[in-house]
Amino acid sequence: MATVFTKIINGEIPSYKIAEDENFIAFLDINPNAKGHTLCVPKQEVDKIFDLGEHVYLQLMQFSRKVALALRKAVPCERVGMAVIGLEVPHVHVHLIPINEMKDMTFDHKVTLSEAEFKELAAEISSHIS
Ligand code: AMP
């Protein structure tokens, strides 16, 4: 069965999209640790990051860096934290999280955003993608 992220990639379910190219997509995490929490996802449906081929893995890092640089311009923060977990969705994704303190990287600390805030954030981050 297709993962929820493949459904997003295929346009079957909505997302707050930030960037997309032939092989990768970035969109806002729907249950964010912090404002601007973004997921970078390869379109290839692979569960575990270190099972990606080396080339796709390196491309994912390159894509994630591009998104992180845009994120840091759009959302004031101390730095952008990066994590790979994958216990909930078995489809590789890099979490990019604007952080100011350690708790922003803990996945039991969540913030609530309205649909309007998600839309505005996605547009703002997207506008800084080079
Ligand atoms: P994990 O697999 O443990 O790295 O966590 C999966 C992440 O995907 C969580 O932070 C979820 O909030 C996020 N997530 C799950 N479904 C969606 C969705 N439809 N749109 C955006 N983010 C999602």
Side-chain angles (χ1 to χ4, degrees):
M1 201 180 77
T3 67
V4 65
F5 293 165
T6 292
K7 289 180 181 162
I8 287 175
I9 290 160
N10 292 339
E12 291 163 27
I13 59 172
S15 71
Y16 300 102
K17 191 161 79 178
I18 288 166
E20 182 172 17
D21 67 16
E22 196 186 333
N23 299 310
F24 302 95
I25 188 169
F27 49 84
L28 291 175
D29 194 298
I30 205 71
N31 187 21
N33 291 17
K35 202 173 159 187
H37 184 165
T38 298
L39 303 176
C40 298
V41 184
K43 291 186 177 177
Q44 187 185 1
E45 194 181 292
V46 168
D47 179 358
K48 296 174 181 169
I49 190 163
F50 298 121
D51 289 334
L52 286 174
E54 188 175 331
H55 182 64
V56 179
Y57 172 82
L58 293 173
Q59 280 187 315
L60 174 62
M61 289 302 121
Q62 199 170 35
F63 180 81
S64 300
R65 178 176 179 272
K66 191 168 78 169
V67 175
L69 294 177
L71 185 51
R72 155 172 117 169
K73 284 183 187 152
V75 181
C77 59
E78 170 64 28
R79 60 184 58 224
V80 175
M82 185 167 102
V84 177
I85 316 288
L87 288 170
E88 184 186 322
V89 179
H91 185 154
V92 175
H93 50 284
V94 172
H95 293 261
L96 297 176
I97 306 167
I99 57 173
N100 293 296
E101 46 190 325
M102 189 57 95
K103 75 172 166 49
D104 297 329
M105 283 303 286
T106 60
F107 284 74
D108 52 5
H109 174 261
K110 297 292 178 182
V111 298
T112 304
L113 301 175
S114 67
E115 189 177 347
E117 286 174 308
F118 272 117
K119 278 186 181 159
E120 196 183 321
L121 257 175
E124 177 66 15
I125 301 165
S126 189
S127 75
H128 291 287
I129 295 282
S130 54

